[in-house]
Structures are given as C-alpha cells and as structure tokens.
Amino acid sequence: MKKMVATMLTLAMGAGMLTGCGGSAVKQETDSMKREENIVITMVESLTSPDRTAIIREIADKYEQEHPNISIEIISPPLENADNKITQMLMSGSGVDIVETRDLTITQYVNNQWIQPLDQWLDQWENKDTLTSAANSAIYKTGDKAYLIPYGFLWRGLYCRADWFKENNLELPKTWQDIHDAGVELTDSSKNRFGFAFRGSTLGHQYADTVIWSYIGTDLLANPDAGYYLKEKEGETIFTLPETKEALEFYKSLYTDCSPKDSIAWGFAEMVQGFVGGTTAMLIQDPEVIASCEADMSEEQWELIQFPVGPSGQAVFPNGFAGWAMTSFTEHPDEVSDFILYLSNPENNTYFAKNYATIPIHSNAPELDSFFKEGRFSIYMDMAEKGEVYRCATQPMMYNAYATYKTNVDTMYQKWLTEEISTDDLLEWLDDFWKDAYQQEGRKY
C-alpha cells in the first residue's frame, strides 16, 4: 500500500501545451476512418463544471481539426443529477458513445454491460508504457479487462481559513482532534461563523469512512480496496470494532459542535461555497477546489495542508478517480477509442490535469511541467514521501450489493445525525448489510 501511495503522488505533475499528436498508437487506419464518413461522437460528463467542460472542448476542437470528418458533441448535465442522467442514457442503449465513469459508478456500468473493454486498442497504444501504477490500478479496477482510461486522481487535503487561525492565535490542525478543537474555538453562530464544512448530503458517508479508517488504520483491513472487511476474521466487518463506534461518535461531534445545522443537506457545491464565502473555517476536499480559492480569496486568507491523522497514526482517504469509457452500443468503436486515447495521451492529460487540478496518469508528466511540484499542490508531494502515514482505502465497490448500498447509505447517516436512529442502530445496519453481501457473493477482493 505504501508503495502505491508513494508512486501515485510522485506522479502528480503538470501541464504542457496541447498536443497535435494522435491519442492512439495504433498507426493502422481503420476501414471506417479511410472511408472518411461524417461521424458524430457524443460524450457525456459526470463531474460537470463550465470551466472543466471548456478544457475538454478545447482538446476536442484540436482533435476535430486533425480529423475533419469527426465531430465531438459534449453533454454536460447539472452536477447534482448527472449520474442519474447518465444511468438513464445508458439504460436506453443509444445516444452516447463515451461516458465519464467514476470509481463510484464503474462496477454498476460493467455489471449492466453498459460499457465495453478497451483492451484491443489500449494494447497497441504507444503511450501505455508511461501509465503510472495508479493509472493501471484504476484501468483494471474491476478485473482483468480495461473498462476505462482514467484522466486523473483526486486526493483530499484540508483547506483552512489561515486568517481566522491567525486572528485567534491557533495553530493549523494536524489531527482529526485538532480539527474538532479548533472548529469549536472558531465557531460563533451569532456571526454566522463555523469551524467545519460538514457534508451531510450525497456521499457524506465517505467522510465518515475516512474518520473510521484513520481511527483503526489500514493494517486491520483484509484489503484496502475492500475497506469494510477485516483481515483476521473472514467475512467480518469493521463495524463490529469498538474503535469504529468511537470514530463515528467523533465524526458526529464535528457536525453537532462546529458545523452549520443546515450542512446536514450540504453537498460539494455548498461545502465549497461555505468555505470560500466565509461561513466555515475548514474544508476537506479535492485539489480541484484550489482554483475556486485562488479566484475568490486572497493569498493570505487560506491555506491547503495535509490530510488529518487519526489515533491510528495514519491519515486514510479514498483513491478517488474518474475517466472515460466507451459504451457497449456505440456504432463507431474505432473512432471512439481513438478519441479516448487522444484525450489520455501525456500532453493532453497533463494539460487537463493542470487546469482541473488532478494528478496526471503518466509518469513522464514532470518532464512536461513542474506545476504539481510547486505552490499549493506541493502538499501532495509531501504526503507521497510519507507513505507510512498517508494511505488509501476504498469501499468494497467490487460487490454487486454496492449499487444498493450507495442508494441507501446517506439516508441512514442522515437519520443518525438527526437522532432518528442510534449509533448502535447505524452500526448494526452497516454490519448486517456487508455481512450479507459477503454471504451472497463470497470473497471478491
């Protein structure tokens, strides 16, 4: 695990000019390309934002100039319901050729046969040898077939209102307990100031996971990619451990003691606005928030520091990724795969990563630009050098049951946060769900 973490972030590097080269190493033109038929490739985004869409559009325009018979259409649903929109499109079996696929959705898409393997094109790609180990891990996330090409990785850091900390003579936090203590100190509801930007809505449970893993450490896990199962007890879950209950009680205190009450309904956008807009003092988020802070805050107002450490001595967070997959019903697989590989070549991927603040997928990215080793982003390099402390774990997404879990888990957490159910009730539900998944599907990690 340590090696994977270090490798992943040592690769975190920068951006260069848009390439004029083709994304595919496949030098042989396909018969369909030779016919020069007019082709429209439709791609749909999941993690949408106007700025990011503009970056993709820029690369797509370059591709269109080099392939006059091909047009790239980009569909960008609103972020809040993008995945639901994508599911509807995939269920219809038509209307989209490339779909943005995330660590949270890839199992569902593969199990439903909505996307198809890219191996025959990837195997011939001239840039495959520079893919990082983290990239290859994502590519083969669901087994021995390549169902997507990732465009980057999102690690979390702690954003702090440096000016608030300075005003109150507080040191920047290093541990989860530090976050709570500073958060309480900085909370003044009469001034609409709160210590922490809590995420109580969609995907809020992932933050509880990071606290739990940081309390128990990854050494107890059967597999970091199946982060709910214990190593020493086959099929048993972490939700039976006393440390997990302690972690959940602590996590709840972040909400009750130093977060806005309406943050029970906050998602990504509200969390970021709460921090940038001056309501909250601390925010745990991905590097993409760097751009928002730089645009809306002064240099002295904020700081990005390393992910907080738990009682285990480790700081554990998901290895978040997303990428591009080809639908199983596309009528132009050769052209679609060529464009996916074009998006993913070192020059274009590094350009995208710099402007979207993700960790690139190619090992030669440092030769193209030093952006990711400088400034705010340098914390990720610092974390990479301490692999014994900064580790990754993820939910057991390889289980078919995960689709049901993802639908229900945030509701259960909200019931717990609002005192509808107890901590023991929540732990029992979590334990029963994943024990049943193991009994039904067996060991899949």
Side-chain angles (χ1 to χ4, degrees):
M1 185 67 188
K2 185 189 303 183
K3 181 178 178 181
M4 187 199 81
V5 172
T7 302
M8 222 178 81
L9 263 160
T10 302
L11 309 168
M13 301 91 227
M17 299 295 294
L18 285 178
T19 182
C21 305
S24 173
V26 186
K27 299 299 184 180
Q28 300 173 345
E29 290 186 307
T30 62
D31 290 338
S32 60
M33 287 182 176
K34 289 179 178 179
R35 287 196 297 270
E36 293 297 316
E37 59 180 315
N38 292 324
I39 293 170
V40 177
I41 294 175
T42 301
M43 64 186 300
V44 58
E45 298 181 86
S46 170
L47 301 173
T48 57
S49 73
D51 291 343
R52 196 190 79 146
T53 301
I55 300 168
I56 300 171
R57 182 71 262 169
E58 187 177 354
I59 300 173
D61 288 347
K62 186 76 171 180
Y63 186 83
E64 289 178 348
Q65 291 176 10
E66 299 174 11
H67 302 80
N69 64 311
I70 294 179
S71 299
I72 308 297
E73 178 185 356
I74 302 173
I75 299 176
S76 305
L79 177 64
E80 291 73 19
N81 61 5
D83 286 340
N84 290 335
K85 174 66 175 178
I86 289 172
T87 297
Q88 293 172 6
M89 296 175 74
L90 292 173
M91 289 178 67
S92 73
S94 62
V96 60
D97 303 288
I98 298 173
V99 57
E100 182 173 0
T101 302
R102 301 160 58 193
D103 51 354
L104 301 177
T105 57
I106 185 170
T107 299
Q108 177 191 10
Y109 295 175
V110 170
N111 288 343
N112 285 287
Q113 300 181 353
W114 291 336
I115 57 178
Q116 62 176 295
L118 294 163
D119 298 83
Q120 63 174 299
W121 299 279
L122 179 61
D123 289 346
Q124 301 178 64
W125 191 32
E126 63 186 356
N127 295 303
K128 70 173 184 175
D129 291 338
T130 61
L131 289 170
T132 67
S133 60
N136 280 304
S137 176
I139 288 170
Y140 298 104
K141 179 73 174 178
T142 59
D144 59 358
K145 292 187 181 300
Y147 279 96
L148 93 166
I149 307 296
Y151 57 66
F153 301 90
L154 297 169
W155 278 24
R156 293 176 182 169
L158 177 61
Y159 294 79
C160 299
R161 283 298 302 253
D163 52 345
W164 292 14
F165 277 84
K166 184 176 181 179
E167 289 170 7
N168 289 271
N169 295 314
L170 294 174
E171 293 185 2
L172 295 178
K174 296 181 180 179
T175 69
W176 278 106
Q177 190 63 51
D178 290 344
I179 289 177
H180 175 272
D181 295 346
V184 171
E185 192 76 19
L186 293 168
T187 294
D188 185 346
S189 57
S190 67
K191 297 180 180 179
N192 197 34
R193 275 193 175 189
F194 298 88
F196 189 69
F198 194 86
R199 182 167 186 164
S201 186
T202 306
L203 302 182
H205 70 282
Q206 288 189 349
Y207 287 77
D209 284 346
T210 64
V211 174
I212 292 170
W213 289 325
S214 294
Y215 263 66
I216 67 176
T218 60
D219 295 336
L220 294 180
L221 304 180
N223 186 316
D225 285 336
Y228 292 163
Y229 291 107
L230 291 170
K231 181 189 298 182
E232 301 298 334
K233 299 179 180 180
E234 190 68 24
E236 297 293 312
T237 81
I238 62 174
F239 304 111
T240 60
L241 299 176
E243 295 89 347
T244 299
K245 183 174 182 178
E246 182 183 358
L248 279 179
E249 295 286 7
F250 171 81
Y251 173 71
K252 190 173 187 176
S253 73
L254 290 174
Y255 173 63
T256 58
D257 296 351
C258 51
S259 298
K261 296 308 174 188
D262 61 351
S263 62
I264 188 74
W266 280 12
F268 172 81
E270 293 81 7
M271 292 174 74
V272 176
Q273 182 55 40
F275 180 75
V276 173
T279 300
T280 58
M282 289 173 282
L283 165 72
I284 290 179
Q285 259 303 338
D286 303 325
E288 61 186 294
V289 178
I290 292 174
S292 297
C293 293
E294 289 178 338
D296 298 329
M297 304 172 74
S298 68
E299 187 77 12
E300 298 76 22
Q301 283 184 302
W302 67 287
E303 189 59 80
L304 174 59
I305 61 177
Q306 297 169 5
F307 198 84
V309 175
S312 67
Q314 297 176 3
V316 188
F317 42 85
N319 178 20
F321 68 85
W324 309 112
M326 179 164 61
T327 62
S328 57
F329 45 81
T330 181
E331 297 179 358
H332 307 286
D334 291 314
E335 292 81 3
V336 169
S337 61
D338 189 73
F339 180 59
I340 289 176
L341 294 177
Y342 183 88
L343 283 170
S344 307
N345 71 33
E347 291 80 6
N348 286 331
N349 176 254
T350 304
Y351 180 83
F352 178 87
K354 178 177 182 177
N355 288 277
Y356 187 47
T358 56
I359 298 164
I361 65 173
H362 290 281
S363 60
N364 59 345
E367 303 168 15
L368 301 176
D369 199 289
S370 62
F371 169 79
F372 290 95
K373 295 185 290 186
E374 301 172 348
R376 307 287 188 181
F377 217 97
S378 64
I379 68 143
Y380 296 105
M381 298 301 296
D382 296 336
M383 289 164 64
E385 295 174 359
K386 301 174 184 176
E388 72 282 359
V389 175
Y390 298 98
R391 302 190 178 188
C392 291
T394 56
Q395 301 162 338
M397 299 177 190
M398 67 286 293
Y399 281 84
N400 296 333
Y402 180 72
T404 302
Y405 179 74
K406 187 174 63 172
T407 301
N408 298 323
V409 63
D410 286 312
T411 299
M412 294 300 294
Y413 268 92
Q414 285 187 326
K415 288 181 177 180
W416 168 64
L417 289 166
T418 55
E419 306 291 348
E420 291 185 49
I421 62 174
S422 68
T423 303
D424 287 336
D425 291 335
L426 177 61
L427 286 168
E428 181 180 5
W429 182 82
L430 292 165
D431 182 53
D432 287 346
F433 186 96
W434 288 104
K435 276 184 178 175
D436 183 65
Y438 186 91
Q439 291 169 359
Q440 296 294 324
E441 302 181 45
R443 183 185 176 99
K444 302 182 76 171
Y445 46 86

